């Protein structure tokens, strides 16, 4: 393959871009401004100014770095799906009565009032739809495809026609014009918007039935973009590939897209269809006859699509830089892939998806200053933009082929050294001098085994052994692990983390809190207790901080939803456990009570799902290493007297691949990892697992194969449908369907909880049901926790008495 002999002579309309930017601010400025505004609406001007500063900074940085097409419109006050809902008049009817937002004047007379345009009139209705308000339930929230970002699910009401209100997008485009930025308007595409929405309760039809009507509204948005003199518009259409588009809609999708493109062309606007997270073949096929001007393809997550159906003038925006992970790009390899595409189509270089999913910049991360070797392997958002620009320069350079061969981009390695350099890099990534030695070290412990390293007896035998040792009533009551993290608990942890309090003082504070939590649970009359997790900031980070092979950052924030951000640890090397991680807290708790206390761990799959994970070996191998570390912890907890151990796999559903054909392999390695982590436990130790945040009906087989003695699952919010699905399935192990939705401060009544327990007990049989809340209680306050758990225990007793 030689780039010189290609048709890439056709100069692409632009050469370097990204699908979208992180928007929360390198120091979470937007989070702080929005939360301040929620507390005090008089702070609207400050919010507007923060938004303007963040947007302006992005725009000027982007052009300075060398992007020649800059996404505008990827800034959001909460969520990009909700932005579109607001922009097409599809906020739910229940927020209608909330008054329009009026810009405040602010105290500074010198202030530039143009920033106020960034607070659209619908802002307060928008926030109410996102978070709920007095008497208003929020929209449902769910995972954005297979990422850790969560989007809101718009509820469509056929009685409310779509009506375009592009003011917020226009406000952003105007800022771009002030900075002379080559702007490209961006919003979620009509098919993806509908595919991820649902119908309002009590209405009939399917959201996709309204595609023609929505395309009309999108045409009005295109008009507004054209009026701003903006030449490009990008519609994100990941749902075309990800299995969210039901069969039988292809013709209609192509036809409506064609209408949209034709309209854009009439108005002099060119259209980019952006896809991501999996291979783009279906999009290419669906859109190749629509006249679309550019297609954005994820070359990291998916196999390269066959582009032959796409007219040779169509621009391919090639996402060769990983937008979801934090590793530097192998630029020589990326350049090879680009040159391949350039054989047939004009090419622009891009990241595989929006940079929403990675932290802002290495410069903002102080913890890496002492880790130069790790830092040299990393690229966050800002660095990825630089990679994109360098790749574009190299690709469009007359000597592209020589640059590629000489690996100038890959740290000036010569072609002869290229292979060797790659090998060294891989070795460094593994954090080990010798790859064979490292493999041997892991193998020496316990080799991977099909089905997991698992020696437990079949469930009926285990159940007997556990029954004798635990002596629990039917419908036993318990909780998921954490108890309210009061300001005092957080302050004690933070002071210790900053080195402002001594280890003994910190331990004493934690033990006091554990004593309090045990005391409360005994008073409430719960059967299986927990220590309450006061020492944990986060269920993944807590373990990552103590395991070798992980690096925990101090400022590498990534938006999880709305104003909530997380700092995923970076799993960069071989994982091992230098010493026990939870045993002393467990011991403290168990010493205080006769009742069983659960040892509480995070499972290997969830550790991976909520980290940035090395990409130089299969996930299954990495999962096995983490599993061995958890396994050692399980054994130590057992030795310390734990009669019940819970290994949380909150995220097991989340890593399920988007492509159906990849799912069997995932089920195999994820189950194997869980069984390796837990399979060393004696039969008389009761193994619990917990999962939440997803629909689990689709993976009941996988959960069955995990073979935990008790599985607790979030269920209250989804109206207990899960219980009926389990009853109808082959899943035959004990379950604790959450009977109290802990995501809301509302205290459930005894009757309501009784009805749920009764439902579960009838559907599944009373000897199979545990009575638990939906999830951990760390975000709740004590008053509602006490009241709700009291209702839960009373309700369990009521149903027990009726058995
Ligand atoms: N054990 C954890 C807790 O209670 C589980 C959290 C979760 O499932 N998200 O906080
Ligand atoms: Zn949970």
């Amino acid at each position: 393959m030689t780039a010189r002999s290609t048709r890439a002579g056709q100069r692409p309309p632009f050469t370097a871009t990204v699908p979208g930017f992180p928007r929360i601010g390198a120091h979470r400025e937007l989070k702080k401004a929005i939360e301040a505004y929620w507390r005090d609406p008089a702070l609207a001007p400050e919010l507007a100014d923060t938004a303007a500063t963040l947007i302006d900074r992005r725009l000027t940085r982007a052009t300075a770095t060398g992007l020649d097409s800059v996404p505008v419109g990827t800034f959001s006050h909460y969520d990009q799906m909700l932005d579109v809902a607001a922009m097409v008049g599809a906020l739910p009817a229940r927020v209608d009565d909330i008054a329009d937002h009026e810009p405040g004047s602010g105290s500074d007379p010198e202030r530039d009032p143009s920033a106020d345009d960034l607070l659209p009139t619908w802002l307060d209705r928008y926030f109410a739809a996102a978070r709920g308000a007095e008497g208003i339930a929020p929209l449902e929230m769910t995972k954005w495809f297979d990422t850790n970002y969560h989007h809101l699910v718009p509820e469509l009401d056929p009685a409310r026609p779509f009506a375009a209100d592009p003011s917020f997008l226009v406000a952003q485009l105007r800022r771009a014009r002030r900075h002379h930025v080559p702007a490209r308007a961006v919003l979620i595409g009509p098919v993806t918007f509908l595919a991820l929405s649902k119908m309002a309760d009590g209405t009939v039809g399917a959201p996709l039935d309204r595609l023609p009507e929505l395309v009309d509204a999108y045409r009005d948005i295109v008009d507004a973009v054209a009026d701003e003199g903006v030449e490009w518009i990008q519609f994100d259409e990941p749902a075309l590939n990800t299995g969210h588009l039901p069969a039988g809609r292809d013709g209609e999708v192509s036809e409506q897209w064609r209408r949209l493109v034709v309209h854009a062309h009439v108005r002099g606007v060119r259209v980019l269809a952006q896809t991501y997270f999996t291979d783009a073949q279906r999009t290419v096929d669906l859109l190749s006859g629509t006249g679309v001007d550019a297609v954005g393809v994820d070359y990291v997550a998916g196999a390269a699509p066959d582009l032959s159906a796409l007219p040779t003038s169509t621009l391919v925006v090639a996402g060769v830089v990983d937008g979801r992970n934090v590793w530097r790009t192998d630029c020589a390899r990326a350049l090879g892939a680009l040159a391949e595409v350039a054989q047939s189509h004009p090419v622009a270089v891009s990241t595989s998806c929006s940079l929403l999913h990675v932290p802002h910049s290495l410069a903002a991360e102080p913890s890496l200053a002492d880790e130069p070797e790790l830092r040299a392997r990393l690229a966050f958002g800002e660095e990825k933009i630089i990679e994109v620009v360098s790749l574009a320069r190299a690709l469009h350079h007359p000597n592209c082929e020589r640059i590629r061969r000489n690996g100038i981009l890959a740290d000036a390695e010569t072609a002869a050294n290229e292979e060797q350099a790659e090998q060294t890099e891989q070795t460094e990534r593994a954090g080990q001098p010798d790859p064979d030695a490292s493999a041997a070290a892991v193998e020496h412990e316990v080799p991977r085994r099909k089905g997991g390293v698992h020696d437990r007896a079949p469930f009926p035998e285990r159940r007997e052994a556990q029954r004798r040792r635990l002596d629990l009533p039917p419908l036993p009551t318990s909780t998921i692990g954490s108890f309210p993290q009061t300001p005092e608990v957080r302050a004690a942890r933070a002071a210790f983390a900053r080195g402002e309090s001594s280890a003994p003082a910190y331990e004493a504070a934690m033990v006091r809190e554990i004593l309090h939590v045990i005391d409360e649970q005994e008073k409430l009359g719960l059967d299986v207790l927990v220590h309450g997790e006061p020492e944990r900031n986060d269920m993944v980070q807590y373990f990552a901080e103590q395991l070798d092979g992980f690096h925990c950052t101090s400022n590498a924030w990534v938006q999880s939803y709305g104003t909530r951000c997380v700092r995923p640890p970076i799993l960069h090397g071989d994982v091992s456990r230098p010493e026990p991680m939870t045993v002393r807290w467990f011991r403290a708790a168990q010493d205080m009570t006769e009742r069983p206390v659960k040892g509480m761990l995070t499972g290997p799959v969830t550790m991976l799902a909520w980290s940035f994970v090395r990409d130089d070996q299969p996930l299954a191998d990495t999962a096995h290493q983490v599993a061995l570390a958890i396994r050692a912890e399980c054994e130590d907890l057992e030795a310390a007297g734990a009669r019940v151990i819970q290994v949380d796999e909150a995220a097991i559903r989340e890593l399920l691949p988007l492509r159906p054909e990849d799912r069997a392999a995932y089920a195999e390695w994820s189950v194997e990892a869980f069984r390796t982590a837990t399979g060393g436990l004696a039969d008389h130790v009761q193994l619990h697992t917990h999962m939440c945040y997803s629909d689990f009906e689709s993976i009941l087989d996988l959960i069955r194969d995990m073979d935990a003695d008790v599985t607790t699952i979030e269920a209250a919010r989804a109206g207990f449908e899960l219980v009926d699905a389990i009853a109808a399935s082959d899943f035959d192990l004990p379950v604790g369907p959450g009977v109290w939705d802990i995501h809301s401060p509302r205290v459930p009544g005894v009757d309501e909880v009784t009805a749920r327990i009764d439902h579960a007990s009838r559907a599944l049989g009373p000897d199979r049901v545990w009575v638990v809340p939906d999830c951990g209680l760390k975000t709740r306050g004590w008053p509602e926790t006490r009241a709700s758990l009291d209702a839960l225990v009373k309700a369990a007793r009521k149903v027990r008495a009726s058995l």
Side-chain angles (χ1 to χ4, degrees):
M1 160 198 47
T2 58
R4 272 164 303 169
S5 65
T6 71
R7 286 198 251 164
Q10 349 172 10
R11 185 84 193 154
F14 57 85
T15 63
T17 192
V18 294
F21 294 121
R23 54 211 184 195
I24 206 83
H27 302 281
R28 294 181 299 161
E29 295 91 329
L30 186 60
K31 169 197 176 70
K32 290 165 196 164
I34 289 177
E35 289 177 354
Y37 170 72
W38 288 341
R39 283 190 297 270
D40 179 4
L43 295 175
E46 284 75 7
L47 173 55
D49 291 346
T50 302
T53 308
L54 289 172
I55 291 172
D56 291 355
R57 205 185 284 158
R58 261 297 154 215
L59 293 168
T60 43
R61 271 296 300 151
T63 27
T65 321
L67 297 183
D68 56 2
S69 177
V70 176
V72 177
T74 65
F75 177 83
S76 176
H77 291 289
Y78 204 95
D79 165 52
Q80 65 267 15
M81 278 291 286
L82 194 60
D83 292 341
V84 174
M87 239 189 272
V88 299
L91 291 177
R94 59 184 178 273
V95 303
D96 279 356
D97 289 340
I98 293 175
D100 271 6
H101 172 85
E102 306 257 2
S105 50
S107 48
D108 178 4
E110 306 280 277
R111 184 175 168 269
D112 172 5
S114 77
D116 293 333
D117 297 344
L118 296 168
L119 304 190
T121 51
W122 38 253
L123 189 66
D124 296 327
R125 292 199 292 282
Y126 171 94
F127 282 141
R131 318 165 55 224
E134 192 63 31
I136 295 176
L139 292 173
E140 191 187 309
M141 196 164 64
T142 192
K143 296 237 145 227
W144 178 241
F145 302 97
D146 58 349
T147 72
N148 287 332
Y149 178 78
H150 304 69
H151 72 87
L152 289 155
V153 182
E155 292 169 15
L156 304 182
D157 180 347
R160 294 161 73 85
F162 293 127
D165 171 4
S167 55
F168 181 47
L169 179 60
V170 166
Q172 296 179 65
L173 292 171
R174 292 203 173 142
R175 295 207 86 81
R177 185 153 69 189
R178 282 163 53 145
H179 294 286
H180 309 288
V181 166
R184 183 174 82 246
V186 179
L187 67 156
I188 290 177
V191 181
T192 296
F193 178 74
L194 292 175
L196 301 187
S197 294
K198 65 179 195 185
M199 298 303 292
D201 278 350
T203 63
V204 292
L208 277 163
D209 297 343
R210 295 179 70 186
L211 184 58
E213 187 202 339
L214 184 61
V215 165
D216 287 344
Y218 270 65
R219 301 201 323 174
D220 295 341
I221 294 172
V222 168
D223 288 344
V225 168
D227 291 343
E228 294 304 312
V230 171
E231 207 189 326
W232 279 90
I233 190 164
Q234 164 185 330
F235 297 117
D236 285 13
E237 288 283 29
L240 293 183
N241 302 298
T242 48
H244 291 76
L245 180 60
R249 297 257 180 195
D250 291 21
E252 194 185 341
V253 163
S254 299
E255 173 54 25
Q256 293 304 326
W257 248 87
R258 206 180 57 78
R259 273 183 68 220
L260 186 55
V261 172
V262 167
H263 182 81
H265 288 173
V266 169
R267 295 299 319 264
V269 176
R270 294 199 269 180
V271 181
L272 161 61
Q274 178 69 47
T275 82
Y276 33 80
F277 301 152
T278 181
D279 53 281
Q281 193 64 55
R282 182 140 186 243
T283 309
V284 168
D285 295 343
L286 281 174
L287 300 186
S288 56
T290 60
V292 70
D293 304 275
V295 178
V297 174
D298 182 337
Y299 279 92
V300 177
D306 173 2
L307 298 171
S308 53
L310 211 57
T312 55
S313 59
T314 311
L315 174 69
V316 176
V317 179
V320 291
V321 170
D322 192 344
R324 282 179 65 173
N325 215 335
V326 291
W327 308 111
R328 276 180 60 174
T329 305
D330 176 342
C331 285
R333 183 182 306 164
L335 206 48
L338 290 166
E340 184 85 43
V341 184
Q343 304 262 354
S344 57
H345 290 81
V347 176
V349 184
S350 184
T351 50
S352 61
C353 60
S354 167
L355 295 173
L356 180 64
H357 307 288
V358 290
H360 270 250
S361 79
L362 285 172
E365 178 48 46
S367 76
L368 290 166
D370 333 325
E371 302 266 359
E373 278 170 30
L374 175 59
R375 194 177 195 279
R377 290 161 47 198
L378 296 172
F380 290 174
E382 213 39 63
E383 293 74 32
K384 285 175 189 293
I385 294 173
I386 294 167
E387 288 182 337
V388 162
V389 172
S390 332
L391 282 167
R393 296 222 169 108
L395 178 69
H396 297 292
H397 194 276
N399 290 336
C400 169
E401 181 61 7
R402 214 173 64 211
I403 293 174
R404 190 176 74 77
R405 293 193 53 77
N406 287 346
I408 288 170
L409 288 159
D411 292 338
E413 297 292 345
T414 63
N417 274 343
E418 224 169 45
E419 227 178 34
Q420 201 198 332
E422 193 171 288
Q423 260 178 20
T424 329
E425 197 192 4
Q426 273 177 8
T427 319
E428 277 169 12
R429 280 193 183 190
Q432 291 282 344
D434 172 358
D436 301 326
S438 127
V442 173
E443 256 171 49
H444 174 74
E445 276 197 66
V446 188
R448 273 185 65 189
R449 195 195 295 161
K450 203 171 155 61
V453 183
H454 186 277
D455 305 311
R456 307 193 85 204
F459 174 70
E461 280 169 50
R462 302 197 309 257
R463 182 175 47 195
E464 266 323 296
Q466 292 161 21
R467 187 173 282 162
R468 283 197 298 275
R469 196 150 172 257
L470 284 168
D471 188 29
L472 294 168
L475 305 168
T477 55
S478 189
T479 59
I480 304 304
S482 56
F483 266 78
Q485 294 218 336
T486 55
E488 298 76 56
V489 170
R490 289 175 197 275
R493 235 182 19 234
F496 182 55
R498 285 195 303 265
E500 285 162 14
S501 66
S502 68
Y506 169 70
E507 298 236 345
M510 291 300 114
V511 169
R512 258 197 316 277
E513 180 61 19
I514 292 172
L515 182 58
H516 167 225
V517 169
I518 295 284
D519 218 41
E520 293 273 358
Q521 293 173 93
E522 290 203 316
K523 280 197 207 122
L524 285 160
L526 288 153
D527 298 308
V528 174
L529 311 192
V530 297
H531 79 285
E533 305 179 21
E535 77 288 8
R536 301 187 192 177
N537 41 9
D538 171 273
M539 63 188 286
V540 168
Q541 192 183 334
Y542 177 75
F543 292 96
E545 278 169 356
Q546 303 184 69
L547 291 167
D548 285 345
F550 279 93
H551 176 85
C552 292
T553 62
S554 52
N555 195 49
W557 296 102
V558 177
Q559 193 176 7
S560 167
Y561 64 88
T563 59
R564 190 168 147 77
C565 303
V566 293
R567 282 173 304 178
I570 300 172
L571 194 173
H572 59 86
D574 283 334
V575 173
S576 59
R577 187 196 71 145
E579 54 191 5
M581 302 180 283
T582 64
V583 175
R584 68 183 188 286
W585 308 118
F586 164 77
R587 237 196 218 118
Q590 187 63 85
D591 283 352
M592 294 167 187
T593 180
E594 294 301 309
R595 302 188 192 200
V597 173
K598 282 197 257 193
M600 195 62 63
L601 304 174
T602 299
V605 180
T606 302
M607 290 296 297
L608 297 197
W610 294 347
S611 300
F612 290 117
V613 179
R614 61 191 289 185
D615 60 358
D616 59 341
Q617 69 180 18
L619 272 182
D621 292 351
T622 309
H624 180 70
Q625 290 184 356
V626 178
L628 292 179
I630 313 277
R631 182 182 175 97
E633 188 73 13
C634 278
E635 283 163 9
D636 285 344
L637 281 170
E638 179 181 323
R643 284 168 277 173
V644 183
I645 293 178
Q646 175 171 313
V647 178
D648 287 325
E649 282 292 20
I652 192 105
R653 168 71 178 75
E654 186 172 310
L655 283 190
L656 187 74
L658 290 169
R659 277 193 308 213
E661 59 268 36
D662 298 337
R663 292 192 183 154
Y666 169 71
E668 189 163 309
W669 73 253
S670 60
V671 166
E672 180 181 301
F674 183 82
R675 287 168 58 105
T676 295
T678 57
L681 289 174
D683 294 339
H684 60 246
V685 177
Q686 188 170 69
L687 170 64
H688 289 218
T689 187
H690 165 73
M691 35 201 76
C692 50
Y693 305 122
S694 292
D695 105 79
F696 292 99
E697 290 181 35
S698 55
I699 58 161
L700 285 176
D701 289 347
L702 186 159
I703 301 173
R704 177 64 187 86
D705 290 342
M706 289 163 70
D707 201 25
D709 300 309
V710 179
T711 302
T712 60
I713 312 192
E714 172 182 328
R717 258 205 297 196
F720 245 50
E721 287 157 25
L722 182 69
V723 169
D724 300 322
I726 291 176
S729 76
D730 296 335
F731 190 90
D732 54 356
L733 297 171
V735 269
V739 291
W740 160 33
D741 172 9
I742 61 92
H743 300 90
S744 137
R746 201 178 73 86
V747 175
V750 176
D751 291 346
E752 175 185 342
V753 180
T754 306
R756 288 199 170 127
I757 301 174
D758 201 52
H759 177 157
S761 161
R762 279 171 208 278
L764 305 169
D767 54 342
R768 248 179 90 194
V769 174
W770 278 67
V771 176
V772 291
D774 257 350
C775 192
L777 305 173
K778 70 174 174 212
T779 56
R780 295 271 61 92
W782 270 108
E784 75 256 24
T785 294
R786 242 179 242 119
S788 305
L789 289 177
D790 185 54
L792 185 146
V793 170
K794 288 196 172 117
R797 291 192 178 144
K798 247 170 111 173
V799 183
R800 263 177 222 162
S802 74
L803 290 178

